[in-house]
Amino acid sequence: DDNCTLCLPNGERIKLNPTTMRMLFEVQDLAVASPATVSRCGMVYIDLEQLGWRPYIKTWADLGLAKAVPEASSELRGYIYRLIDEHVDAGLSWLTKHGRQYIPAVENNLTASLAWMAQSLLLPSRGFRHGDAASADEQLMAAARVFAFSYVWALGGNLTAEHHDAFDEFAREQLVHVCPFPAGGTVFEYVVDSSRCFPHELRAWTDLVPSFSYDRQLPFFQMLVPTVDTVRFSRLLELNVAVGRSVLLSGVTGVGKSVITVA
């Protein structure tokens, strides 16, 4: 402030030279800032609860996605935004009323995760065909399946295991006109895959598990036997890292979090 005094949490006060010293703090949010802090710093602050998640997603669809995937048409970007606009509120409401997350997440974080995961899957390098490589109907159908997969993992990926069945029932009903999931298992057991055809097909994760080949020369502790979980979480990690998003893998000791990150 004007006194040029830095007050630390432990009670210490450091006097700065007002003519030769300046300190700049960049904070992620103002969740614990007092009105005095806000007024002295001259900030314009809008609460996330009042702002909502739509301005971020609208900006992403109009500008961020257009820059990251320039091949994506305005029609495709608009379709993605409409899907998010129509279905995300219901998903967030379900999480609040019926879900329990391992790590509590705010609405903006959940919707941002959905957007970035969809962006990763819309990249041409991941098999999405833009322009003349596919018809407009095929692109929209593929985008619907990309959205459904991203919706499931962005909103439901942080749920505790005992809530998966309930979310599966909700997601199937919510997305029935967007992307009907195959019968059998839960929605968490399917992945969008474009390796065999376009538009993407929904395949079971079990179909993507490679066979294990034993190597006598490889130390025992460096061996990785592929399972559904290693394939699933490695793919999700790859999708997020490809677009520069940080990922937190949670779990008890010994479940293979470190192994998945280096596999």
Side-chain angles (χ1 to χ4, degrees), residues 19-180:
T19 59
T20 60
M21 301 178 67
R22 291 289 187 273
M23 298 188 70
L24 175 65
F25 296 92
E26 182 178 353
V27 297
Q28 180 177 350
D29 56 55
L30 299 176
V32 295
S34 66
T37 301
V38 175
S39 62
R40 286 174 177 174
C41 295
M43 300 175 183
V44 177
Y45 176 61
I46 301 176
D47 195 300
L48 283 178
E49 294 183 359
Q50 298 178 1
L51 185 64
W53 56 266
R54 280 183 172 80
Y56 176 87
I57 295 299
K58 182 62 175 174
T59 302
W60 166 79
D62 292 341
L63 302 177
L65 183 58
K67 181 178 180 181
V69 190
E71 300 87 354
S73 65
S74 59
E75 180 185 4
L76 180 65
R77 299 196 307 271
Y79 180 63
I80 290 288
Y81 176 77
R82 289 195 300 275
L83 289 175
I84 297 176
D85 183 58
E86 292 172 5
H87 298 282
V88 163
D89 277 332
L92 295 175
S93 177
W94 188 95
L95 290 178
T96 302
K97 296 177 180 179
H98 309 290
R100 180 170 175 268
Q101 302 179 80
Y102 281 112
I103 301 174
V106 297
E107 293 183 352
N108 281 54
N109 181 60
L110 296 173
T111 51
S113 296
L114 192 163
W116 286 92
M117 194 174 297
Q119 177 176 311
S120 184
L121 289 167
L122 290 173
L123 292 170
S125 58
R126 296 203 173 276
F128 200 98
R129 301 178 186 177
H130 297 277
D132 296 334
S135 67
D137 289 342
E138 289 176 330
Q139 292 178 22
L140 295 183
M141 183 182 297
R145 294 173 182 175
V146 163
F147 166 77
F149 176 80
S150 303
Y151 185 92
V152 166
W153 283 101
L155 301 187
N158 192 28
L159 287 171
T160 57
E162 58 267 25
H163 290 83
H164 280 194
D165 288 339
F167 183 80
D168 168 70
E169 183 178 348
F170 160 77
R172 287 179 181 274
E173 180 179 354
Q174 181 68 29
L175 303 175
V176 65
H177 298 300
V178 177
C179 174

Side-chain angles (χ1 to χ4, degrees), residues 181-195:
F181 281 84
T186 68
V187 291
F188 296 100
E189 296 175 32
Y190 296 94
V191 56
V192 286
D193 181 66
S194 61
S195 61

